[in-house]
Amino acid sequence: AQSVTQPDIHITVSEGASLELRCNYSYGATPYLFWYVQSPGQGLQLLLKYFSGDTLVQGIKGFEAEFKRSQSSFNLRKPSVHWSDAAEYFCAVGTGTASKLTFGTGTRLQVTL
Amino acid sequence: DAGVIQSPRHEVTEMGQEVTLRCKPISGHDYLFWYRQTMMRGLELLIYFNNNVPIDDSGMPEDRFSAKMPNASFSTLKIQPSEPRDSAVYFCASSQSTGGRSPLHFGNGTRLTVT
């Protein structure tokens, strides 16, 4: 079965600084990978997804993520964080044989002004 | 599109009472999922449906939980009787029928408090 690890529970960055959120997955074949963001009191919103092809994917709100097969990673990045990016971020993995996603435990991002 | 609609947004009930959560998926989406989110356990998949048929209910915690999808535009998650440990945010999500490639679209959740 697939699994997802987000090693950082909480991260604090200054507004304008760069951001990288880590995600490692475990799956025997090529996975489908997703990043979601959850603002307080809201549901999860899709930021970006990777299925195949170019390993660097662009998403909404200026986020990008890079799939590295050799490291089983799919880290989320943003060059310059805005205060409105403060939220919880979830990495998720899907497989070709099932429609359900497996989510990581999330990383809470705090942005200081 | 209105997105996935869940009701109620908040529910407070006493232990032993029946609770029914409701969900309207996005029109045209063939899959519907119920998730539970808690601080301790994160996001847990409870059950999911394909074309109104339950496919995997292995995440349903116990017999007190049941879910139905009588038609393509409506689903319910029922807890009877409710217990304090059921307190959580319950999310409904829907997706198109493309297997693991399909992103989920989430509702805003129902925050359940059982006292």
Side-chain angles (χ1 to χ4, degrees):
Chain A
Q2 67 268 27
S3 66
V4 179
T5 302
Q6 292 181 249
D8 304 308
I9 296 173
H10 186 221
I11 285 182
T12 301
V13 300
S14 300
E15 188 175 43
S18 63
L19 171 71
E20 183 168 25
L21 302 183
R22 295 183 291 166
C23 172
N24 293 97
Y25 68 90
S26 174
Y27 181 60
T30 300
Y32 305 128
L33 296 162
F34 305 83
W35 275 99
Y36 286 83
V37 60
Q38 184 182 27
S39 298
Q42 303 295 315
L44 281 71
Q45 179 186 18
L46 179 69
L47 281 176
L48 48 78
K49 59 185 183 288
Y50 171 79
F51 293 157
S52 64
D54 193 348
T55 57
L56 183 65
V57 294
Q58 304 295 321
I60 62 172
K61 305 185 181 185
F63 286 93
E64 66 178 26
E66 186 171 12
F67 170 59
K68 292 185 177 180
R69 183 188 302 276
S70 61
Q71 299 177 18
S72 298
S73 69
F74 188 56
N75 294 349
L76 181 71
R77 300 195 295 250
K78 187 169 184 177
S80 177
V81 171
H82 188 262
W83 64 265
S84 61
D85 294 325
E88 187 145 19
Y89 291 80
F90 292 90
C91 182
V93 60
T95 70
T97 58
S99 295
K100 58 184 182 181
L101 298 184
T102 299
F103 285 87
T105 51
T107 297
R108 182 168 297 279
L109 173 65
Q110 182 176 358
V111 180
T112 58
L113 300 176
Chain B
D1 199 322
V4 176
I5 300 172
Q6 291 187 247
S7 64
R9 285 301 307 274
H10 302 275
E11 178 79 41
V12 181
T13 191
E14 293 182 348
M15 182 173 63
Q17 297 298 306
E18 177 180 296
V19 175
T20 299
L21 312 180
R22 297 172 176 79
C23 174
K24 176 179 169 55
I26 293 173
S27 177
H29 282 191
D30 296 327
Y31 286 84
L32 183 139
F33 304 79
W34 283 100
Y35 282 87
R36 178 172 67 176
Q37 185 178 40
T38 61
M39 289 292 293
M40 292 298 295
R41 302 173 68 90
L43 268 168
E44 303 174 277
L45 176 65
L46 300 178
I47 184 171
Y48 78 94
F49 296 80
N50 179 26
N51 292 324
N52 314 336
V53 176
I55 302 301
D56 184 350
D57 65 353
S58 59
M60 296 287 261
E62 47 198 276
D63 292 345
R64 296 185 298 107
F65 286 69
S66 63
K68 295 181 180 180
M69 192 166 185
N71 57 63
S73 59
F74 184 65
S75 177
T76 60
L77 178 67
K78 185 177 294 185
I79 309 173
Q80 166 63 21
S82 58
E83 297 183 2
R85 58 192 168 121
D86 301 330
S87 297
V89 180
Y90 291 81
F91 287 103
C92 176
S94 68
S95 70
Q96 293 180 314
S97 56
T98 53
R101 299 167 61 92
S102 183
L104 298 179
H105 298 260
F106 283 80
N108 287 329
T110 296
R111 180 174 296 277
L112 173 65
T113 303
V114 183
T115 60

